[in-house]
């Protein structure tokens, strides 16, 4: 193995299971290793590179902003920051935006907002309900919301008054929420949890309970947002209007950027001094975000994602029919698709590397497909052809 791998081990805390690849350059939907070998990207840096690598409009926007300034601090107004907020508001339920650097930080802001909102109604209205198997980030608040013990048990005590309920279990949520609940935090499609979707019956129940107990519906769209599922926000496909949405990942076009979007009712809950961030809403990241929003809100973009998603699932269904013992289930929406392949997931991922295909595995058994939204039909064919070779070999 090359020097970079040993130096990576020597100097960087060992927190990630690195892939055995040294990528030197990337373009569109392809990444190239040091030998020049080409890989089709089917996970977009975990749903970040939604417009692929080196998208011209994103790159131009970044360079233009760098010519002006890279950072001022949130003591100054800044055009790209305001422009991006305006685009987010104009394309959503929201009336105002707070910018962070990451998804977990957007969720931290939402926890604070929810607790302050609850306390303004009643001093004990501070409970937050979230879901087993969810993922909301690695900060103390994020891991407390996350409904998977492996992410938090070693770091207890976690935040108080955060309860977990079973996903899609109507009785569990009904018996857990009360007038003490200030918010329910939810992923409409659990990403890290294996691409599992909330039922429409559950969405209806949640809306009724929110009305009854006056709690906020906070949707974590950090993975599902920004056209991943075929709409700018996944909740637009679930007939659900949230109070708060958190986004990140694809927002900065590859630069670190997150946001909390709030409705009009919540605009004035947080006041100067309550919350903030040095880098949150960095002008260069926001300029990239502006380009991302402009591209994904162009006429036809959403439909193209939906059509490509259907095409990919159709081809995968064909493979499932042929290899029913390997592909156990296909789940998801748009270009967020999970292939449940049981114990074979990591073997498939390793074989894919040798065939020039980059895959990601979540929940131990699910190949999570999050290709760049700009993937072409030919590239989808390239992926399914390579996958078929792998399935044949198993
Ligand atoms: C649904 C969801 N929420 C929150 C996060 C945390 O985001 P970040 O890693 O940017 O803090 C992630 C990251 O994978 C996520 O998928």
């Amino acid at each position: 193995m090359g020097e970079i791998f040993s130096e990576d081990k020597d100097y960087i805390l060992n927190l990630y299971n690195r892939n055995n690849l040294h990528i030197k350059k990337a373009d569109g939907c392809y990444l190239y290793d040091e030998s020049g070998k080409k890989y089709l990207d089917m996970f977009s840096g975990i749903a970040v590179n939604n417009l692929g690598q080196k998208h011209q409009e994103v790159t131009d926007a970044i360079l233009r902003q760098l010519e002006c300034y890279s950072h001022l601090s949130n003591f100054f107004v800044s055009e790209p920051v305001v422009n991006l907020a305006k685009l987010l508001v104009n394309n959503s339920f929201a009336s105002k935006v707070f910018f962070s650097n990451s998804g977990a930080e957007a969720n931290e802001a939402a926890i604070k907002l929810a607790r302050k909102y609850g306390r303004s109604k009643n001093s004990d209205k501070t409970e937050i309900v979230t879901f087993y198997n969810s993922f909301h980030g690695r900060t103390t608040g994020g891991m407390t919301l996350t409904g998977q013990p492996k992410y938090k048990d070693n770091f207890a005590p976690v935040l108080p008054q955060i309860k977990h309920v079973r996903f899609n279990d109507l009785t569990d949520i009904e018996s857990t929420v009360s007038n003490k609940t200030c918010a329910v935090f939810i992923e409409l499609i659990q990403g890290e949890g294996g691409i599992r979707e909330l039922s429409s019956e559950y969405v209806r129940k949640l809306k009724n309970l929110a009305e009854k107990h006056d709690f906020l519906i906070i949707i974590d769209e950090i993975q599902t947002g920004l056209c991943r599922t075929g709409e700018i926000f996944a909740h637009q496909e679930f007939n659900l209007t949230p109070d708060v949405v958190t986004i990140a990942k694809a927002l900065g076009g590859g630069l670190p950027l997150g946001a909390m979007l709030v409705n009009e009712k919540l605009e004035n809950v947080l006041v100067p001094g309550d919350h903030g961030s040095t880098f949150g809403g960095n002008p260069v990241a926001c300029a990239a975000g502006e380009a991302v929003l402009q591209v994904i809100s162009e006429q036809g973009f959403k439909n193209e994602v939906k059509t490509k998603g259907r095409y990919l699932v159709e081809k995968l269904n064909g493979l499932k029919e042929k290899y029913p013992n390997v592909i156990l289930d296909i789940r998801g929406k748009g270009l967020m698709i999970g292939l449940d392949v049981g114990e074979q997931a990591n073997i498939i991922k390793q074989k894919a590397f040798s065939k020039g295909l980059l895959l990601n595995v979540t929940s131990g058994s699910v190949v999570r497909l999050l290709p760049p939204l700009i993937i072409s039909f030919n590239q989808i064919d390239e992926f399914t052809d390579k996958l078929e070779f792998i399935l044949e070999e198993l």
Side-chain angles (χ1 to χ4, degrees):
M1 244 191 274
E3 200 183 5
I4 183 81
F5 288 98
S6 61
E7 292 199 342
D8 182 73
K9 283 196 168 50
D10 287 346
Y11 294 108
I12 297 180
L13 273 182
N14 180 24
L15 298 177
Y16 302 100
N17 291 317
R18 298 268 204 239
N19 292 318
N20 194 11
L21 291 178
H22 180 198
I23 300 298
K24 292 288 266 191
K25 62 177 189 162
D27 197 4
C29 295
Y30 291 103
L31 280 72
Y32 300 82
D33 73 10
E34 53 193 336
S35 72
K37 184 173 169 185
K38 184 175 171 182
Y39 298 83
L40 176 63
D41 180 8
M42 289 302 287
F43 81 103
S44 308
I46 329 181
V48 168
N49 299 307
N50 276 13
L51 299 183
Q53 298 273 357
K54 290 198 336 211
H55 189 280
Q56 200 58 55
E57 283 156 62
V58 176
T59 307
D60 288 348
I62 290 171
L63 294 177
R64 263 197 316 271
Q65 183 53 39
L66 278 172
E67 293 283 332
C68 301
Y69 55 84
S70 58
H71 175 85
L72 294 176
S73 94
N74 281 310
F75 286 122
F76 297 89
V77 295
S78 169
E79 265 172 57
V81 184
V82 175
N83 291 346
L84 176 57
K86 207 163 143 188
L87 280 169
L88 289 168
V89 166
N90 290 343
N91 281 288
S92 75
F93 71 98
S95 74
K96 293 222 171 144
V97 178
F98 166 78
F99 286 114
S100 64
N101 305 288
S102 67
E105 279 177 66
N107 284 341
E108 292 290 336
I111 293 172
K112 285 175 72 175
L113 176 116
R115 288 243 161 104
K116 193 171 177 202
Y117 170 79
R119 290 167 65 86
S120 74
K121 304 267 166 178
N122 203 323
S123 61
D124 67 354
K125 193 175 177 62
T126 47
E127 282 180 9
I128 295 175
V129 174
T130 169
F131 292 79
Y132 288 116
N133 207 38
S134 60
F135 185 81
H136 297 287
R138 305 285 196 152
T139 53
T140 305
M143 78 176 177
T144 309
L145 293 174
T146 294
Q148 303 187 56
K150 67 177 181 195
Y151 290 114
K152 55 186 161 183
D153 280 0
N154 286 332
F155 311 106
V158 295
L159 291 189
Q161 292 185 34
I162 295 190
K163 294 179 169 176
H164 292 86
V165 292
R166 288 184 294 276
F167 200 66
N168 276 334
D169 182 331
L170 302 180
T171 45
D172 201 12
I173 189 147
E174 182 145 36
S175 60
T176 305
V177 293
S178 71
N179 291 341
K180 291 186 179 173
T181 309
C182 64
V184 169
F185 252 86
I186 191 159
E187 286 167 276
L188 293 170
I189 303 174
Q190 290 187 332
E192 301 291 318
I195 316 290
R196 290 173 201 284
E197 195 174 321
L198 200 69
S199 71
S200 44
E201 197 188 0
Y202 198 95
V203 168
R204 275 196 300 280
K205 183 77 174 173
L206 186 63
K207 286 200 275 197
N208 290 343
L209 290 170
E211 221 163 273
K212 180 172 170 196
H213 296 294
D214 186 21
F215 59 73
L216 304 178
I217 297 179
I218 303 180
I219 306 187
D220 178 332
E221 293 236 29
I222 289 161
Q223 198 163 138
T224 56
L226 303 162
C227 229
R228 175 53 56 193
T229 64
E231 287 293 332
I232 298 212
F233 299 99
H235 69 259
Q236 292 164 330
E237 298 184 79
F238 282 76
N239 191 23
L240 177 64
T241 308
D243 297 290
V244 178
V245 160
T246 54
I247 51 175
K249 286 195 182 282
L251 181 60
L255 298 185
L257 184 63
M260 170 175 74
L261 279 55
V262 307
N263 69 14
E264 206 172 351
K265 162 175 103 177
L266 300 172
E267 267 185 27
N268 299 313
V269 173
L270 297 176
V271 297
D274 274 349
H275 197 56
S277 163
T278 298
F279 284 115
N282 167 267
V284 182
C286 285
E290 223 185 307
V292 169
L293 256 289
Q294 264 151 4
V295 172
I296 65 171
S297 51
E298 267 165 23
Q299 176 97 13
F301 191 88
K302 293 189 282 191
N303 276 344
E304 220 175 276
V305 171
K306 286 180 195 171
T307 310
K308 286 183 215 159
R310 279 195 296 272
Y311 181 70
L312 175 53
V313 168
E314 209 173 281
K315 296 206 77 179
L316 290 171
N317 275 325
L319 292 179
K320 182 170 180 278
E321 261 171 43
K322 223 165 154 186
Y323 305 95
N325 296 330
V326 186
I327 301 185
L328 309 174
D329 194 16
I330 299 168
R331 302 188 285 266
K333 240 189 180 54
L335 286 170
M336 179 176 188
I337 296 165
L339 281 186
D340 190 341
V341 290
E343 289 169 358
Q344 309 272 27
N346 279 307
I347 300 167
I348 291 175
K349 177 177 147 180
Q350 287 312 323
K351 281 183 175 288
F353 286 164
S354 65
K355 298 216 158 15
L357 197 60
L358 295 184
L359 295 181
N360 170 257
V361 169
T362 188
S363 277
S365 60
V366 178
V367 173
R368 177 173 42 172
L369 303 175
L370 301 162
L373 305 179
I374 54 151
I375 192 168
S376 68
F377 289 95
N378 281 343
Q379 286 162 337
I380 293 176
D381 291 341
E382 179 188 339
F383 161 66
T384 50
D385 289 349
K386 286 184 172 169
L387 182 64
E388 179 155 17
F389 270 120
I390 296 166
L391 296 173
E392 192 70 54
E393 273 176 21
L394 288 176

